Amino acid sequence: MEEFDVLRREATKLERNLEDKIARYHSLAQKIQVDSPLTHRSTSHTSSSLDAAESGSSNNMSSSAANEEALLANEINRTLGKLNDLINTKMAPAAERSNKAQHSLLVKRYREILFDSTNDFKKTSGAILRKRETLELFSGANTNGIQVEDPAMEQLLRERNAIGNSIRSATSVLNQASDIRNELRNQGMALRGVGTKVLNMAGRIPGLNGLIENIRRRRGRDDMVVSAAIAACILFTLWYVLG
């Protein structure tokens, strides 16, 4: 049991570290979306010099954000690998050796945490990749040779603004859905934690179930005695009145 407690504390430390890094990764993804030139693009006529300036700031932002994203992604991948190795190579065998239900439930809980964290990280990483591809796609239009007086180019700019608005709306909905999913996951983790505590309490007090069963039997016998006494009183009353 001492061995499993040490492994559990190590897994909890990795879990908190992983949650912190994934939260930072979420913030980085939102920063990339907010700083994107698509979110600041105006629907009015845009000059070529303004497009060039936005293109330069976008390149600087993309470079720094890409470096930060790559470093943080590597750290998250390493933490996920450590947690996976700890669960499968150490905690699971230790739980089998201890042959305790609460240990097996804890291993299952940490596997669910690993699964949810991996999916969350992949989802955010995919969103960043799509945003980078979108920036590269639209950066091709930011050249010094654009003539905004051209009706065809103005039409393309209007379509680009419409696409940008659609992307912002979809991103807002996805962020709300992600927040709700995280809240539900936190509530599920809290409920699983309560279940684990109840199992631990039951394991520490082996005679608790027997005590509850004895109390239930004694209450049943008392109810039978009271019912018999009431029935005897009723029969005596009827005999006295009718006799």
Side-chain angles (χ1 to χ4, degrees):
M1 182 171 180
E2 181 180 356
E3 177 189 3
F4 191 87
D5 288 340
V6 173
L7 296 175
R8 179 179 57 82
R9 286 193 292 269
E10 185 177 354
T12 302
K13 185 184 300 183
L14 289 175
E15 175 191 356
R16 294 175 180 174
N17 189 9
L18 188 60
E19 289 179 352
D20 179 65
K21 290 178 180 178
I22 291 179
R24 287 166 51 196
Y25 201 69
H26 275 297
S27 300
L28 178 61
Q30 293 175 359
K31 178 181 177 182
I32 292 176
Q33 293 171 0
V34 170
D35 292 342
S36 170
L38 292 176
T39 60
H40 302 295
R41 191 73 69 173
S42 171
T43 57
S44 62
H45 293 280
T46 308
S47 65
S48 60
S49 60
L50 180 58
D51 279 343
E54 288 180 348
S55 178
S57 62
S58 174
N59 291 334
N60 293 333
M61 180 276 300
S62 299
S63 178
S64 60
N67 292 334
E68 184 178 359
E69 185 269 338
L71 292 175
L72 190 56
N74 290 333
E75 293 179 1
I76 292 175
N77 281 321
R78 284 197 299 268
T79 306
L80 288 172
K82 289 180 181 179
L83 183 58
N84 181 65
D85 293 340
L86 179 64
I87 294 172
N88 294 323
T89 62
K90 295 182 180 180
M91 290 189 70
E96 293 178 358
R97 287 193 298 269
S98 66
N99 198 21
K100 291 183 178 294
Q102 54 266 34
H103 291 175
S104 299
L105 288 175
L106 284 174
V107 172
K108 181 179 178 182
R109 171 179 175 270
Y110 281 111
R111 281 176 174 166
E112 291 175 352
I113 292 173
L114 177 63
F115 179 78
D116 292 338
S117 299
T118 302
N119 287 341
D120 198 10
F121 169 64
K122 288 182 178 180
K123 179 181 177 181
T124 306
S125 179
I128 293 177
L129 179 60
R130 289 191 296 271
K131 176 57 64 177
R132 185 180 294 115
E133 292 175 349
T134 302
L135 293 176
E136 293 176 355
L137 176 63
F138 285 104
S139 64
N142 295 328
T143 59
N144 294 329
I146 292 179
Q147 299 293 331
V148 295
E149 293 81 4
D150 187 357
M153 184 56 64
E154 291 180 359
Q155 179 64 25
L156 289 176
L157 289 175
R158 284 194 294 270
E159 292 179 358
R160 184 174 63 178
N161 291 329
I163 293 174
N165 292 331
S166 300
I167 292 175
R168 287 195 298 273
S169 299
T171 301
S172 177
V173 173
L174 290 176
N175 288 335
Q176 292 177 2
S178 179
D179 293 338
I180 294 174
R181 175 181 175 275
N182 291 333
E183 182 65 24
L184 292 175
R185 187 182 66 178
N186 292 333
Q187 292 179 3
M189 292 172 58
L191 292 176
R192 287 194 294 270
V194 171
T196 303
K197 290 181 180 179
V198 171
L199 289 175
N200 290 333
M201 292 178 60
R204 294 174 183 175
I205 308 177
L208 182 60
N209 293 331
L211 178 61
I212 294 175
E213 184 65 23
N214 292 333
I215 293 174
R216 185 181 295 110
R217 292 177 180 176
R218 180 170 297 179
R219 288 185 59 183
R221 288 196 299 268
D222 293 342
D223 292 340
M224 292 178 61
V225 171
V226 172
S227 299
I230 294 174
C233 292
I234 293 174
L235 292 175
F236 178 78
T237 302
L238 293 175
W239 174 78
Y240 181 79
V241 172
L242 298 177

